[in-house]
Amino acid sequence: MKAKITLIISIGLLFPIVLKAQEKETLNFSTYLNEVREKNLSYAAQKYNVSMAEASILTASIFPDPQLEMETSDSGVSKKMGYTIGTSLSWTLELGRKRKARIETAKNQAEYTKLLLQYFLRNLVADASLGYIEALKTKALVDVQKDSYLSMQQLAQSDSIRYKLGAISQVTSKQSRLEASSLLNDLYMAESSSRQAFSALSVFLGTGLEEKNISGDFKAFSRDFNPEDLILEAVNNRTDLLASKQNINTAASLVQLEKSKRVIDLGLSVGAEHHTWATNEIAPSPAVNAVKLGASIPLKFSNRRNADLKIAEMARMQAETDYKQIQNSVRTEVMQAYQQYFATQKQLKQFDNGMLSEAKNILDGISYSYQRGESSILEVLNAQRTYNDIRQHYIETLAENAAALVELERKTGIWDIDF
């Protein structure tokens, strides 16, 4: 008996530990975004572009390599005129500030690449947030469907008892049971959609989320904005606009680089030679040493064809046009996103004014009347469907409002979302 009591106590102590071990870890929104920034594979791949661009700056700063030449010759094998041994060092002296132009171009390209990386991260964070919102919405819809099913299942069980007692007809009992089965199918579909939305988050994280849960409050997506302030913020902070402006600098530096390439480079060389003794009887000569200095000047006939320079200038004009186009689209994009967010805010106010509570009160009243035999099962079912539809629409509107805020802050170039 004592052994049984000890076993029961041990099981009782272990039971809470087992339950705790079975609880899923909750991944909140802030932690989720931090993991996206750290673990997303696409973002990790984009970072290499910055590293390569920074390495290009070092490459651009390299001076032309010198050339070391060594030679030997026989002045006449049969005449015994001796041998000549020589060596020389040559290099190219770049003129026209080519090295400075290369470095400036590489620096501008690196800065442009960094801005593109920021632009990619901004879109990645926004898309990941939309995915999290979608998963949270489908999870809430599952709760609604489950609650509706359990309520109808309870009503069906109650109707089964009432039918056996002769209080209602068999048709009424079957109808409530059929409605419960229909709601169960809807629950299965909602659970499937929720699992799909949850699995989609793995794309942003690069890892699975099977053992984790998510949480968040949709009511945290309420902001007051001034449209003109948002437009000014977008002009100053949008990374795609900043990147486009930096692209103009990059294109201008490429023009300057092409101009510097048209300047000739000098080839300089210095060398030494040693002539051995010539033992020829007719014209003997002693061993001598000689020093050589030389310069080469290329004839740049190719400068008459300036296609590369024209291409660079057209690329600069294209970059300026792209920048103007993005500037023109900023106001439209921000205003459209603001109008969408403002519309969802107005929809939410309708729910906050009592739509949900009124629908719940109607359902409770009709259900009470049905239990007293004062209303039909059809009235109960209609009230239940209306209440379910309003709850689902409320959750969907909350999610749309959250997504609208994400899009508005994406278009504006700001970010303060946390829920």
Side-chain angles (χ1 to χ4, degrees), residues 64-125:
D65 292 325
Q67 293 182 349
L68 178 64
E69 298 180 4
M70 301 183 69
E71 60 182 0
T72 182
S73 63
D74 190 342
S75 300
V77 177
S78 60
K79 301 298 184 180
K80 298 182 180 180
M81 296 299 294
Y83 299 92
T84 300
I85 301 174
T87 181
S88 63
L89 183 67
S90 61
W91 68 93
T92 300
L93 178 61
E94 290 185 319
L95 302 178
R97 310 179 76 176
K98 292 184 178 65
R99 179 174 176 271
K100 182 179 180 181
R102 286 198 308 268
I103 295 174
E104 188 67 21
T105 301
K107 287 182 177 179
N108 283 326
Q109 185 63 43
E111 186 63 27
Y112 176 65
T113 305
K114 291 177 182 178
L115 290 171
L116 288 181
L117 180 64
Q118 293 179 21
Y119 177 65
F120 179 87
L121 178 60
R122 179 169 68 89
N123 286 320
L124 173 63
V125 168

Side-chain angles (χ1 to χ4, degrees), residues 152 155 159 162 167-169 171-173 175-176 179 362-385:
M152 187 54 61
L155 179 63
D159 283 352
R162 294 175 66 194
I168 60 174
S169 65
V171 173
T172 301
S173 177
Q175 191 164 9
S176 60
E179 185 69 18
I362 292 173
L363 175 60
D364 292 341
I366 293 178
S367 298
Y368 179 73
S369 298
Y370 175 70
Q371 296 294 334
R372 293 169 56 89
E374 298 174 358
S375 59
S376 65
I377 185 63
L378 292 178
E379 292 178 293
V380 176
L381 297 182
N382 288 333
Q384 180 71 53
R385 293 188 187 114

Side-chain angles (χ1 to χ4, degrees), residues 16 29 32 79 110 174 220 228 233 241 274 278 300 412:
F29 181 70
Y32 165 73
K79 301 298 184 180
K174 287 183 177 180
E228 295 301 324
E233 191 77 23
L241 190 60
H274 174 71
K300 298 280 287 188
T412 308

Side-chain angles (χ1 to χ4, degrees), residues 101 105 109 249-259 308-309 312 315:
T105 301
Q109 185 63 43
N249 298 333
T250 303
S253 62
L254 285 172
V255 172
Q256 188 60 40
L257 179 60
E258 288 299 329
K259 288 181 179 180
D308 292 337
L309 179 58

Side-chain angles (χ1 to χ4, degrees), residues 273-344:
E273 289 184 352
H274 174 71
H275 299 270
T276 62
W277 286 89
T279 58
N280 184 282
E281 295 180 357
I282 299 176
S285 63
V288 296
N289 295 320
V291 177
K292 297 190 300 180
L293 297 175
S296 62
I297 301 175
L299 302 178
K300 298 280 287 188
F301 296 114
S302 59
N303 277 351
R304 292 181 298 176
R305 299 184 178 183
N306 57 351
D308 292 337
L309 179 58
K310 288 182 178 180
I311 292 173
E313 290 175 343
M314 286 186 287
R316 178 181 56 80
M317 291 186 289
Q318 183 186 44
E320 292 175 350
T321 304
D322 289 339
Y323 178 71
K324 293 178 181 178
Q325 173 59 30
I326 297 176
Q327 272 188 321
N328 292 335
S329 64
V330 164
R331 183 180 183 88
T332 301
E333 292 178 2
V334 172
M335 287 304 299
Q336 288 176 343
Y338 174 77
Q339 292 298 334
Q340 178 64 28
Y341 175 70
F342 186 66
T344 56

